[in-house]
Amino acid sequence: MSALTFVGTSGAIEPALASQAQNLLDTEGVSVIPALAIGAITFWAAGLNRRSKENLYQSDEDDDLGVQKLLYYAEDVWAFFGPLVLLLYPVLVLVLTGIVLLLLYWFKRRAEAKEEKAKIACTNCHELIYSTALACQSCNQSNQNPSAIDFFGQIKAKPVRDRDEHAYKLVEKKRCPVCANRFQEHHVHQSCGTCGHELMQDDRFATRYIGRIDRRVLKVLVITFLFSLIPIIGLIPAIIYYRIQLVAPFRLYIPRMRNMGLRWGLRIFHFALIAFQWAPGFGGFVAPIMAFTSYRMYRNSFKRQLFSKSMDIAGHD
């Protein structure tokens, strides 16, 4: 401020220099606003803490209940361990999530082994087929009573109600919409190694497939918000839920190298977000932000593959 005063009063300095100094001061003033806001919040919180202690002291001057001593101990513990908690909190969440995902993977492999044993014979050629298949992979005979699949892609005891919807559910789990065998490649456009079905060859099927996932977004964001309000524990089911509902249907068909780049880019961003999940109020938005950013990144990558294939076909024509 003294420098600006000197510039304004000295006739030896050009007016343009004074204008530049004023602009610099204005810019610095804007940058100070966040610091002032944080300082004001800190001052308000400190005052609230002081008034609360004063009321507690007046109601229990001799600390017969021991509440004052307990609060002092709690403040000392938080002052010592608080920074460590904030630093290790994202690591703890990621470790717990990884453990849960490993358990789910083990459950999936075990269920797949049971599914192999539960194959049924085709009514026409007697070839063993999955009970979830819509048709035989050998003779293309229709399976009149295919079994439905659940949230995790495992066989349900009840039959399929909507055959068209069932085909989309199979593709979401990286399975052929005809014979229910698993696709082996990490690409949108590939052929089933068992029945030869061309995945995403029909543009209408591809468009509807993406549309089905898009219609889930609002519901998933609401559910993950409610989960995310619970520190640590709530974030784990939120991550698993949005990954199955919004991410996996696209991620399963992304090439490995591209998938790795997307995954690590999102991990860095999500790691920073998780550090604030403990904060009241804001913590509820952590999982929805993670869900939406992951969904958009993988969806865009999935659509780029579809678009590039269409361009290749147009070029050959």
Side-chain angles (χ1 to χ4, degrees):
M1 182 62 73
S2 60
L4 182 59
T5 304
F6 175 77
V7 170
T9 56
S10 175
I13 300 178
E14 295 181 357
L17 186 58
S19 177
Q20 292 177 2
Q22 181 65 52
N23 292 336
L24 180 61
L25 182 62
D26 293 340
T27 303
E28 291 178 351
V30 172
S31 64
V32 170
I33 292 177
L36 291 176
I38 295 174
I41 294 174
T42 304
F43 180 79
W44 173 81
L48 180 63
N49 181 43
R50 177 178 53 80
R51 289 191 296 271
S52 300
K53 288 181 178 179
E54 288 178 353
N55 294 332
L56 182 61
Y57 178 78
Q58 292 175 2
S59 60
D60 186 15
E61 185 174 349
D62 296 327
D63 194 22
D64 295 330
L65 299 176
V67 177
Q68 297 180 41
K69 184 180 294 184
L70 182 63
L71 289 176
Y72 291 138
Y73 285 155
E75 288 182 348
D76 292 339
V77 170
W78 175 251
F80 183 78
F81 291 104
L84 293 177
V85 171
L86 296 180
L87 180 63
L88 298 178
Y89 183 84
V91 178
L92 176 62
V93 172
L94 293 178
V95 169
L96 293 177
T97 303
I99 293 174
V100 174
L101 290 176
L102 286 175
L103 291 175
L104 290 176
Y105 178 77
W106 173 81
F107 171 76
K108 176 184 176 182
R109 299 294 295 180
R110 185 177 180 182
E112 288 176 357
K114 290 183 178 180
E115 188 180 16
E116 289 291 332
K117 297 179 180 179
K119 283 185 174 181
I120 60 176
C122 172
T123 56
N124 182 48
C125 67
H126 305 293
E127 177 79 15
L128 289 179
I129 63 174
Y130 286 110
S131 62
T132 55
L134 293 176
C136 174
Q137 64 264 19
S138 297
C139 66
N140 204 32
Q141 174 69 26
S142 176
N143 181 10
Q144 297 301 320
N145 296 298
S147 300
I149 58 176
D150 60 17
F151 180 79
F152 295 100
Q154 309 305 320
I155 301 176
K156 297 174 70 173
K158 60 182 182 180
V160 170
R161 294 183 179 180
D162 188 335
R163 295 176 69 91
D164 292 336
E165 179 69 15
H166 182 64
Y168 288 106
K169 290 182 178 180
L170 288 173
V171 175
E172 282 188 34
K173 305 305 178 183
K174 204 181 179 183
R175 305 184 68 163
C176 175
V178 178
C179 67
N181 279 276
R182 291 171 177 81
F183 288 111
Q184 301 301 319
E185 299 179 20
H186 293 268
H187 202 278
V188 172
H189 298 284
Q190 59 179 297
S191 300
C192 175
T194 306
C195 71
H197 174 78
E198 294 285 342
L199 180 63
M200 301 296 173
Q201 192 70 19
D202 185 355
D203 292 338
R204 291 179 300 177
F205 184 92
T207 301
R208 291 173 182 172
Y209 180 78
I210 297 174
R212 292 180 71 258
I213 312 303
D214 292 343
R215 288 190 291 271
R216 300 175 184 170
V217 174
L218 181 59
K219 176 183 176 182
V220 172
L221 293 181
V222 172
I223 293 176
T224 53
F225 173 80
L226 296 176
F227 274 130
S228 190
L229 290 174
I230 307 172
I232 303 180
I233 300 176
L235 197 57
I236 296 173
I239 292 174
I240 295 173
Y241 180 71
Y242 83 69
R243 287 183 64 174
I244 292 177
Q245 288 289 85
L246 298 181
V247 178
F250 298 129
R251 182 180 58 81
L252 293 173
Y253 299 102
I254 305 299
R256 293 184 184 276
M257 292 303 297
R258 186 180 302 175
N259 187 18
M260 184 179 299
L262 289 172
R263 182 180 300 178
W264 279 104
L266 288 168
R267 278 179 180 175
I268 295 172
F269 175 64
H270 292 170
F271 187 85
L273 275 177
I274 292 174
F276 298 95
Q277 197 260 336
W278 58 271
F282 178 78
F285 294 97
V286 170
I289 293 174
M290 294 172 63
F292 189 75
T293 53
S294 300
Y295 154 74
R296 292 298 302 181
M297 294 288 286
Y298 281 103
R299 181 184 185 274
N300 291 340
S301 183
F302 184 90
K303 288 193 69 176
R304 277 195 295 269
Q305 287 193 75
L306 288 174
F307 179 74
S308 63
K309 181 68 174 181
S310 300
M311 292 294 292
D312 292 341
I313 294 175
H316 288 303
D317 292 342

